[in-house]
């Protein structure tokens, strides 16, 4: 029986995504990440300008997506600036910047897909251990600039921005509201 | 035989990371992108270890694991999960099907190597296929000893070598050091409290990174029981106190499989120089015999056809030395290399007492020997062994 999404507190979401992002960045990319801005749909605070839809993809983006299905259902989008995505790919695979460019978008997509998979996996493992069992979906990648992801009306949206040593990472979490 | 590791993951990134993680170990990495490919490759190649993801298209990891464990041919292959699926219930469910270990992504490469090393015998690859490490190459030697004076004595005795001697007073300090920077060789005092030398030895042998690191025991000569115990459990060798640093150096070189030829052979100012050390024990003579022909051949190949056989450091002449010198001179003649001998007064006198050596002529110094080659008739006249 899916849990009513409104039962899940924002703190639980924030703590889990912060832990997941920090853990993946530290372990796989040897880079620290720190939560610096957030926006919650329907929340009391106004959405910071940097996290508004129209500003999320002003520069070319590589966005990894992984969903989770079970007692809680949702999707997480991780936004990487194109140059940051290339840097992460190089670090993860032990490749120079020139090698990453030569390897092409397919390799970058796969690397960002895997970073997203690990991050969402870590996020949802936290939810599982806190009583909301669910499973991961297969990652996919969205590329481009000047686009917006708009959730359907009966969903909750949480946007968190992280400072990863001077690079920005945005985690856009969309939860389907339960029955 | 080389170990085979099969990584089954739909992410090429993970497969590359796995390949990168094990690149310094003697093993073959096989790749499959889903459970169907994984099962087929497992049946064909019979890997020694499978690293298995859970969420994959076509056939996921749980289904592949279930099929693998129900196949009499394949069920014995150890499986280690490497997946982002790490909720407690999920792990328990998979563990029941039968896995040897479970790593939740994100993962550190060291952890993967360590856990894989508990299941298969991971041997580090030797750097480079041909070039042996020599006495002039740097190395790190960890001395685990609670008596600072002993560490100091070893540091002092080996200070002429390029080796860095690191001291650790306890088993804990040694483990910390080894986990950060695996040394090239470990010397452990067998008199550390509570038999911790033996506990340390076991830990070093279970860690993939130090599994093949030479470990020397250090004990007072009269402690025969401890000495035997160390030999029985597999210490590379046991050094007795008081320490003979010259002997220790030789044993370290041997244990690290170093090329020690530079002790005896060199090319100086266009001459192939063969220098006999002060004390020519049987071990030294055996070492010289191993290198003599290849080193001379190497010199001739590089265009050097003049040799100086320098025995001026030698303390005493005995049959082993004479045989070695006769062989060296014969090899020079066979290779059309002109040679001269350099010796000290005592040696020249001793040579008169042996039938084989009474006709040998010596120069007093290397400079004189070198200069003699400039004189047209000097070299052949001297080479009259």
């Amino acid at each position: 029986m899916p849990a009513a999404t409104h039962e899940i507190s924002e703190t639980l979401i924030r703590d889990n995504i912060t832990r997941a992002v920090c853990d993946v960045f530290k372990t796989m990319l040897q880079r620290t990440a720190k939560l610096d801005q957030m926006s919650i749909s329907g929340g009391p605070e106004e959405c910071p300008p940097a996290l508004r839809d129209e500003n999320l993809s002003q520069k070319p983006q590589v966005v990894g997506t992984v969903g989770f299905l079970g007692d809680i259902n949702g999707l997480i989008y991780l936004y990487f600036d194109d140059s940051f995505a290339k840097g992460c790919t190089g670090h993860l695979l032990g490749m120079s910047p020139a090698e990453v460019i030569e390897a092409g978008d397919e390799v970058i997509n796969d690397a960002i897909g895997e970073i997203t998979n690990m991050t969402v996996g870590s996020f949802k493992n936290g939810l599982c251990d806190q009583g909301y069992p669910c499973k991961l979906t297969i990652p996919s990648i969205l590329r481009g600039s000047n686009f917006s992801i708009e959730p359907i009306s009966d969903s909750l949206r949480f946007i968190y921005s992280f400072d990863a040593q001077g690079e920005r990472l945005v985690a856009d979490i969309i939860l389907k509201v339960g029955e | 035989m080389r170990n085979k590791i099969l990584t089954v993951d739909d992410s090429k990134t993970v497969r590359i990371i796995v390949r990168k993680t094990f690149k310094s170990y003697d093993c073959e990495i096989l790749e499959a992108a889903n459970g169907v490919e994984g099962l087929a490759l497992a049946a064909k190649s019979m890997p020694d270890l499978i690293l298995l993801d859970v969420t994959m298209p076509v056939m996921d990891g749980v289904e592949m694991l279930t099929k693998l464990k129900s196949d009499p041919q394949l069920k014995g292959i150890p499986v280690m999960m490497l997946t982002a699926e790490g909720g407690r219930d999920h792990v328990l469910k998979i563990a029941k099907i039968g896995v040897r270990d479970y790593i939740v992504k994100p993962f550190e490469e060291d952890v993967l190597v360590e856990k894989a090393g508990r299941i298969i015998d991971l041997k580090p690859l030797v750097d480079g296929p041909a070039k042996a490490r020599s006495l002039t190459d740097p190395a790190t030697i960890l001395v685990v000893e609670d008596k600072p004076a002993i560490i100091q004595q070893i540091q002092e005795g080996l200070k002429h070598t390029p080796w860095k001697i690191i001291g650790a007073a306890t088993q804990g300090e040694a483990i910390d050091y080894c986990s950060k920077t695996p040394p090239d060789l470990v010397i452990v005092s067998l008199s550390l409290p509570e038999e911790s030398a033996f506990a340390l030895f076991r830990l070093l042998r279970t860690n993939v990174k130090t599994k093949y690191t030479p470990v020397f025991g250090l004990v007072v000569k009269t402690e025969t029981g401890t000495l035997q115990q160390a030999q029985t459990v597999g210490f590379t060798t046991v050094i007795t106190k008081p320490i003979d640093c010259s002997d220790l150096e030789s044993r370290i070189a041997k244990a690290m499989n170093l090329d020690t030829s530079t002790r005896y052979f060199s090319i100086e100012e266009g001459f192939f120089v063969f220098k006999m050390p002060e004390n020519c024990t049987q071990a030294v003579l055996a070492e010289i015999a191993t290198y003599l022909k290849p080193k001379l051949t190497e010199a001739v190949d590089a265009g050097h056809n003049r040799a100086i056989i320098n025995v001026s450091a030698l303390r005493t002449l005995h049959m082993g030395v004479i045989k070695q010198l006769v062989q060296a001179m014969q090899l020079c003649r066979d290779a059309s290399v002109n040679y001269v001998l350099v010796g000290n007064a005592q040696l020249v006198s001793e040579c008169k007492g042996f039938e084989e050596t009474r006709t040998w002529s010596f120069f007093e110094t290397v400079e004189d020997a070198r200069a003699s080659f400039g004189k047209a008739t000097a070299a052949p006249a001297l080479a009259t062994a």
Side-chain angles (χ1 to χ4, degrees):
Chain A
M1 174 72 72
T5 303
H6 57 75
E7 288 176 4
I8 298 168
S9 70
E10 188 278 326
T11 312
L12 182 69
I13 301 290
R14 186 178 356 120
D15 288 350
N16 271 316
I17 193 66
T18 304
R19 182 187 42 73
V21 167
C22 294
D23 199 16
V24 170
F25 271 62
K26 188 179 165 201
T27 309
M28 303 309 293
L29 302 169
Q30 285 72 53
R31 195 183 265 267
T32 56
K34 199 175 162 194
L35 178 66
D36 61 0
Q37 293 186 83
M38 55 188 275
S39 162
I40 302 144
S41 59
E45 306 290 334
E46 196 185 339
C47 180
L51 302 187
R52 286 181 192 151
D53 280 335
E54 63 271 26
N55 293 331
L56 280 177
S57 62
Q58 273 187 342
K59 287 199 269 182
Q61 297 289 306
V62 181
V63 183
T65 317
V66 172
F68 41 95
L69 302 165
D71 278 14
I72 181 168
N73 299 311
L75 276 170
I76 296 183
Y77 297 88
L78 290 189
Y79 286 68
F80 295 77
D81 282 354
D82 186 60
S83 60
F84 186 34
K86 285 183 179 131
C88 291
T89 303
H91 192 101
L92 203 57
L93 301 180
M95 293 163 94
S96 68
E99 285 171 330
V100 173
I101 290 167
E102 196 187 340
D105 287 352
E106 195 188 330
V107 169
I108 299 166
N109 290 352
D110 198 83
I112 296 303
E114 189 51 39
I115 291 172
T116 310
N117 182 49
M118 289 180 188
T119 307
V120 181
S122 182
F123 172 85
K124 83 95 210 174
N125 290 337
L127 293 182
C128 287
D129 291 343
Q130 281 149 349
Y132 304 101
C134 45
K135 284 185 175 181
L136 293 175
T137 66
I138 290 163
S140 60
I141 293 290
L142 183 67
R143 272 178 170 272
S145 53
N146 295 319
F147 61 84
S148 64
I149 293 164
E150 290 170 12
I152 51 169
S153 56
D154 59 342
S155 60
L156 289 174
R157 191 175 183 191
F158 307 83
I159 306 175
Y160 300 96
S161 171
F162 294 87
D163 173 15
Q165 292 181 262
E167 298 284 356
R168 187 185 72 154
L169 174 85
V170 172
D172 187 354
I173 304 172
I174 296 170
L175 294 186
K176 188 171 184 290
V177 174
E179 291 80 31
Chain B
M1 208 170 78
R2 257 186 130 195
N3 279 306
K4 284 184 272 192
I5 300 175
L6 169 60
T7 166
V8 187
D9 201 306
D10 58 328
S11 165
K12 195 177 175 185
T13 298
V14 172
R15 302 200 304 266
I16 293 173
I17 294 173
V18 168
R19 194 172 277 282
K20 183 160 70 89
T21 301
F22 291 103
K23 76 172 178 201
S24 51
Y25 294 91
D26 186 23
C27 56
E28 184 184 353
I29 305 294
L30 310 169
E31 296 181 29
N34 58 58
V36 172
E37 283 182 19
L39 275 176
L41 202 49
K44 187 181 162 200
S45 309
M46 294 303 288
D48 302 283
L49 173 65
I50 297 175
L51 303 176
L52 183 58
D53 187 20
V54 171
T55 311
M56 293 183 288
V58 187
M59 182 192 285
D60 69 17
V62 177
E63 189 178 349
M64 174 179 161
L65 181 65
T66 310
K67 287 188 189 304
L68 193 87
K69 291 299 169 192
S70 60
D71 185 325
Q73 300 293 318
L74 308 179
K75 67 179 181 187
I77 302 172
V79 176
M80 181 153 72
M81 302 307 292
L82 182 60
T83 173
E85 283 284 1
R88 262 192 302 270
D89 294 344
H90 209 89
V91 174
L92 284 173
K93 181 183 149 197
I94 290 173
K96 275 183 190 164
I97 309 173
V99 291
R100 287 288 290 273
D101 217 322
Y102 204 112
I103 297 180
V104 178
K105 297 171 186 171
F107 62 98
E108 285 175 11
E109 293 178 9
D110 282 355
V111 172
L112 178 57
V113 168
E114 193 206 319
K115 293 198 173 207
R118 288 183 199 162
I119 301 171
I120 56 173
D121 185 19
L122 279 178
K123 285 189 183 137
L125 277 177
V126 180
D127 291 342
K131 196 170 183 308
R133 291 171 65 193
S134 82
L135 278 173
T136 53
D137 290 326
T140 306
I141 295 167
L142 178 68
V143 182
V144 192
E145 168 66 85
D146 54 358
K147 296 164 196 75
I150 300 288
I151 296 176
Q152 209 176 344
Q153 190 189 343
I154 294 173
Q155 282 168 333
E156 190 63 27
L158 299 177
K159 71 177 179 192
H160 61 283
T161 69
W163 305 332
K164 190 175 173 188
I165 313 297
I166 307 288
T170 63
Q171 179 192 338
E173 268 183 47
I175 292 292
D176 279 353
Y177 185 84
C178 290
S179 63
K180 286 177 200 146
T181 330
D184 297 286
L185 188 137
V186 181
I187 301 173
V188 192
S189 168
L190 300 179
S191 59
L192 289 176
E194 295 167 0
E195 294 210 330
S196 58
F198 293 94
L200 175 62
F201 179 80
R202 282 191 293 275
L203 286 168
L204 291 172
R205 285 294 171 260
T206 51
N207 186 316
V208 175
K209 287 184 177 170
T210 53
K211 201 172 191 173
Y212 297 98
T213 304
V215 182
F216 288 9
L218 194 57
V219 69
V220 176
K221 200 179 261 181
T222 49
E223 296 282 332
T224 50
T226 312
L227 194 147
Q228 278 170 4
Q229 191 186 350
Q231 285 167 337
T232 309
V233 300
F235 276 75
T236 311
T237 192
V238 180
I239 304 291
T240 52
K241 295 180 190 173
I243 300 166
D244 173 350
C245 282
S246 162
D247 175 60
L248 175 63
E249 185 185 337
S250 298
R251 292 208 211 187
I252 290 172
K254 193 176 173 196
M256 294 202 296
N257 202 20
L258 299 182
D259 175 2
T260 53
S261 64
T262 50
R263 275 185 190 147
Y264 317 111
F265 303 98
S266 58
I267 302 291
E268 293 170 20
E269 299 181 28
F271 289 86
F272 172 68
V273 178
F274 164 30
K275 189 179 176 188
M276 278 215 156
E278 183 183 349
N279 187 14
C280 272
T281 61
Q282 284 306 314
V284 167
L285 288 170
E287 204 168 48
I288 291 172
T290 312
Y291 292 119
L292 180 59
K293 194 173 177 185
K295 284 288 156 188
L296 182 65
T297 308
E298 200 179 295
V300 172
D301 192 39
H304 305 294
N305 63 351
R306 298 177 299 179
I308 294 171
I309 300 172
N310 183 358
V311 288
S312 56
L314 201 62
R315 253 185 296 181
T316 179
L317 197 65
H318 56 77
M319 278 317 288
V321 172
I322 293 170
K323 278 184 187 170
Q324 189 67 81
L325 289 171
V326 167
Q327 194 203 356
M329 289 188 264
Q330 185 60 48
L331 283 170
C332 284
R333 283 194 293 273
D334 292 348
S336 301
V337 170
N338 289 329
Y339 63 89
V340 290
L341 298 166
V342 176
N344 57 44
Q346 187 195 328
L347 208 71
V348 172
S349 153
E350 282 184 32
C351 276
K352 305 290 178 207
F354 293 92
E355 186 60 36
E356 296 87 343
T357 59
R358 68 175 65 222
T359 58
W360 289 1
S361 305
F362 290 89
F363 285 98
E364 281 183 18
T365 66
V366 173
E367 288 72 27
D368 290 349
R370 218 180 274 142
S372 72
F373 280 95
K375 298 167 190 166
T377 56
L382 290 164
T384 54

